[in-house]
Amino acid sequence: MEWVDRLVAVTGWSAEPGKLDWSSTERVLGTPLPADFKELRQRFPEWGAFSDHVLVLEAQGDTESVLANHESLLRSVRESLDNLRMFEPFGILGTNDESSGKGLVQWGYSFIEEEYYWLVDTSMDPSTWPVVARVDPLEPFQRFDMTASEFVYRVLTEAEFFPFGVAATIETPYYRAFWAGGPSEPG
């Protein structure tokens, strides 16, 4: 989990790892999720944002979880072909030919409408799924042959990671957890 370790180091995060259960999400999606991503959420178990920019979906929850988000996207694209066109050329996992096992699954987003997905192929090892991302829902997707945690690390640390990088404006990356008492950085 090299990239997760790098994120922990660069953000100075020191909270205890969580114990997360991905079984229901993986069962409904019909595929295991990448181990790298599950480790990322385990090491950053509290809901929050990297540098007040990148949010990574949770294991469980009503709205901000991988599964709740995926089910919402499925409803949206099944209700309107126009919505489905927004995800071309990939589609959403579960809306293409049901037996294909291919399509997008969202794992994160930014506060400025960037969207981060895996390009899922259930016949492949999840660790090989590329990240596809776009800066705006009306923009085309860009493909990145890397894990979710490497993508987040590059967003936070590489100003030239265009158009997603924030390092030019946020010098020191951090993780801010949104605890019950409000936003707070680890002390």
Side-chain angles (χ1 to χ4, degrees), residues 19-133:
K19 301 228 185 297
L20 306 175
D21 181 8
W22 292 93
S23 60
S24 62
T25 298
E26 293 174 329
R27 185 175 49 259
V28 173
L29 291 175
T31 185
L33 295 177
D36 172 86
F37 178 78
K38 292 189 285 188
E39 177 69 16
L40 173 63
R41 287 304 313 160
Q42 183 174 333
R43 299 283 292 278
F44 293 88
E46 291 91 1
W47 177 242
F50 288 92
S51 296
D52 288 334
H53 181 73
V54 174
L55 293 103
V56 177
L57 295 175
E58 297 182 281
Q60 300 168 342
D62 294 335
T63 58
E64 298 298 339
S65 71
V66 171
L67 185 56
N69 178 273
H70 192 72
E71 290 173 337
S72 175
L73 286 175
L74 282 173
R75 277 191 303 279
S76 172
V77 300
R78 287 178 176 152
E79 290 171 2
S80 168
L81 287 178
D82 288 334
N83 292 342
L84 183 57
R85 286 187 197 104
M86 291 180 58
F87 297 96
E88 290 179 348
F90 308 115
I92 300 293
L93 182 68
T95 60
N96 299 330
D97 170 11
E98 293 295 329
S99 65
S100 77
K102 296 179 181 177
L104 298 176
V105 172
Q106 189 169 14
W107 57 263
Y109 61 92
S110 78
F111 283 124
I112 59 170
E113 295 190 0
E114 296 170 345
E115 300 172 343
Y116 317 127
Y117 299 84
W118 291 292
L119 181 51
V120 173
D121 181 340
T122 59
S123 69
M124 305 292 289
D125 178 346
S127 69
T128 66
W129 297 345
V131 168
V132 293

Side-chain angles (χ1 to χ4, degrees), residues 50-51 53-54 107-110 112-117 131-137 139-144 146 150-170:
F50 288 92
S51 296
H53 181 73
V54 174
W107 57 263
Y109 61 92
S110 78
I112 59 170
E113 295 190 0
E114 296 170 345
E115 300 172 343
Y116 317 127
Y117 299 84
V131 168
V132 293
R134 59 184 175 187
V135 295
D136 179 277
E139 294 291 321
F141 288 101
Q142 296 179 47
R143 179 184 169 133
F144 300 90
M146 60 182 66
E150 180 181 357
F151 183 88
V152 172
Y153 181 85
R154 292 185 186 281
V155 167
L156 300 179
T157 63
E158 296 178 10
E160 64 280 358
F161 193 62
F162 185 79
F164 301 100
V166 297
T169 55
I170 301 172

